[in-house]
Amino acid sequence: MAFSFDPSMTPQAIARAAKPAAELTDLELAQILAERLAVKPADWHRLSRDRRVRAGEQLAAALVFLLKQNSEEALVRVEQAAGWLNRSLQAPPCPTHGDRKTRVAEHGD
């Protein structure tokens, strides 16, 4: 199985991805999937409100926590994924933009 390499991946993630899938542990496979499905900063504005993408991101993270024997954190991520899918959860505003009125007052624009 070939993996595409993301230049933002950590050296550990690259080393894991370079191994054949059959040699990876379940946890390593889940971590690769979680890293791949995580919304990257460069894609934040485009994908932050995509419910399917965000649910996948949370479910992959849930699997990592489950395999690390952390059922409580896994459940939180599953609930967040369900929130994305049933539309009870929505993306917070972009942290780099903030509130326009606040920026205008701070910068005198």
Side-chain angles (χ1 to χ4, degrees):
M1 174 176 196
F3 293 96
S4 62
F5 291 102
D6 180 342
S8 67
M9 287 178 60
T10 64
Q12 297 85 358
I14 292 170
R16 284 193 308 262
K19 291 167 68 174
E23 293 178 16
L24 296 171
T25 65
D26 292 346
L27 178 57
E28 288 173 323
L29 286 168
Q31 288 170 325
I32 289 170
L33 181 61
E35 289 165 3
R36 186 171 185 162
L37 293 180
V39 176
K40 311 294 183 283
D43 296 327
W44 177 254
H45 288 99
R46 185 172 58 85
L47 298 175
S48 67
R49 299 187 192 294
D50 187 316
R51 294 185 176 284
R52 189 182 53 79
V53 169
R54 299 305 302 275
E57 176 184 47
Q58 292 302 312
L59 287 171
L63 182 56
V64 170
F65 281 113
L66 185 65
L67 292 171
K68 287 184 169 187
Q69 307 298 316
N70 190 339
S71 299
E72 189 174 307
E73 283 297 320
L75 183 58
V76 169
R77 299 316 187 280
V78 168
E79 290 169 350
Q80 287 179 351
W84 280 109
L85 294 173
N86 70 21
R87 299 186 176 279
S88 66
L89 188 66
Q90 54 185 312
C94 177
T96 60
H97 288 110
D99 180 60
R100 170 105 175 106
K101 291 178 185 176
T102 304
R103 282 193 322 234
V104 170
E106 289 174 355
H107 300 291
D109 295 335

